[in-house]
């Protein structure tokens, strides 16, 4: 699985340090894989990515498929400004989001970290107005049986879309129903998506009501494109926001215990 170009290798051991599953060793010579390495490798690619001379290749993640790290990346101040100024959009214009923009969001979200690099998440991007209406309908039926959601039902009776806020697209991420990590991996992927969306002038809002309804309304799962054996890890509304936030609201101070 692991091959080394002896002409390039400086025997610095960086690949050994980078491997999270300890399947590369150095016994006074060049790096080499341990017994059973191919079965234990999680294909994270760190061994290839950290080699400064390009001496190492991994058959499970070939070096020729890697991309260079871009020089243009936000500094700490730019990143902080984005994080503290991002707001959830709860009112969208009727203008649909372009297919190319949605594809760009998905392409970036798939790069979010997953536990042990399992990469078992799948996506449904819903734009069809009739399917979005069905999502609203089934979610509202569930809320109608829950007294704690009566304020939502009252707003719905007044003609407000309390489920999707008139968003023109809904991104749904799902994964193995039995996996503990589906919810966490999905949260990371959706966070990647919403942060990039903010830089593209798009509005986002976590569709918590849809996510919750998917756990108690079986009929909702096929509407969301979730196959049998999978569960919804989360969902985000996407669209062009009607409102622009010009101030950053205050938040509670961080509750921290330093140990």
């Amino acid at each position: 699985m692991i091959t080394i170009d002896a002409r390039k290798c400086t025997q610095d051991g960086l690949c050994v340090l980078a491997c999270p599953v300890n399947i590369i060793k150095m016994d006074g010579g060049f790096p080499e894989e341990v017994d059973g390495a191919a079965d234990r490798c999680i294909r994270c690619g760190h061994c290839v990515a950290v080699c400064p001379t390009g001496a190492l290749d991994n058959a499970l993640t070939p070096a020729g498929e890697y991309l260079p790290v871009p020089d243009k990346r936000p500094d700490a101040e730019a990143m902080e400004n984005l994080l503290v100024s991002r707001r959830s959009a709860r009112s969208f214009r009727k203008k649909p989001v372009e297919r190319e923009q949605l594809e760009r969001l998905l392409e970036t979200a798939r790069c979010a970290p997953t536990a042990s690099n399992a990469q078992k998440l799948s996506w449904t991007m819903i734009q069809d107005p009739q399917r979005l209406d069905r999502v609203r309908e089934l979610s509202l039926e569930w809320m109608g049986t829950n007294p704690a959601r009566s304020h939502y039902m009252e707003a719905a009776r007044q003609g407000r879309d309390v489920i999707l806020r008139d968003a023109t697209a809904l991104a749904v991420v799902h994964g193995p129903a039995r996996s503990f990590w589906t919810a966490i991996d999905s949260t990371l992927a959706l966070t990647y998506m919403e942060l990039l969306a903010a830089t593209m002038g798009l509005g986002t809002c976590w569709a918590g009501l849809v996510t919750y309804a998917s756990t108690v309304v079986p009929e909702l799962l096929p509407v969301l494109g979730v196959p049998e054996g999978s569960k919804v890890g989360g969902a985000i509304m996407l669209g062009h926001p009607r409102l622009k936030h010009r101030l950053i609201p205050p938040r509670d101070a961080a509750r921290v215990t330093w140990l």
Side-chain angles (χ1 to χ4, degrees), residues 194-239:
E194 74 167 350
L195 291 176
L196 179 60
T199 70
M200 297 165 60
L202 297 175
T204 61
C205 185
W206 286 62
L209 295 176
V210 174
T211 302
Y212 198 114
S214 72
T215 66
V216 293
V217 183
E219 299 87 349
L220 185 55
L221 291 177
V223 178
L224 296 174
V226 180
E228 185 176 352
S230 295
K231 64 181 178 181
V232 174
I236 277 185
M237 312 168 207
L238 290 158

Side-chain angles (χ1 to χ4, degrees), residues 9-20:
C9 182
T10 61
Q11 297 178 300
D12 53 27
L14 297 181
C15 52
V16 178
L17 292 174
C19 179

Side-chain angles (χ1 to χ4, degrees), residues 122-165:
S122 299
W123 294 85
T124 305
M125 186 65 75
I126 305 176
Q127 293 181 278
D128 177 60
Q130 292 183 337
R131 188 172 289 262
L132 291 173
D133 284 342
R134 184 59 175 158
V135 172
R136 295 182 180 98
E137 179 183 351
L138 290 172
S139 299
L140 280 172
E141 287 180 5
W142 157 69
M143 284 205 304
T145 64
N146 188 340
R149 310 287 179 178
S150 60
H151 58 292
Y152 284 116
M153 295 305 297
E154 178 59 30
R157 284 190 285 269
Q158 296 173 6
R160 299 184 62 183
D161 178 9
V162 297
I163 303 298
L164 299 180
R165 308 288 179 172

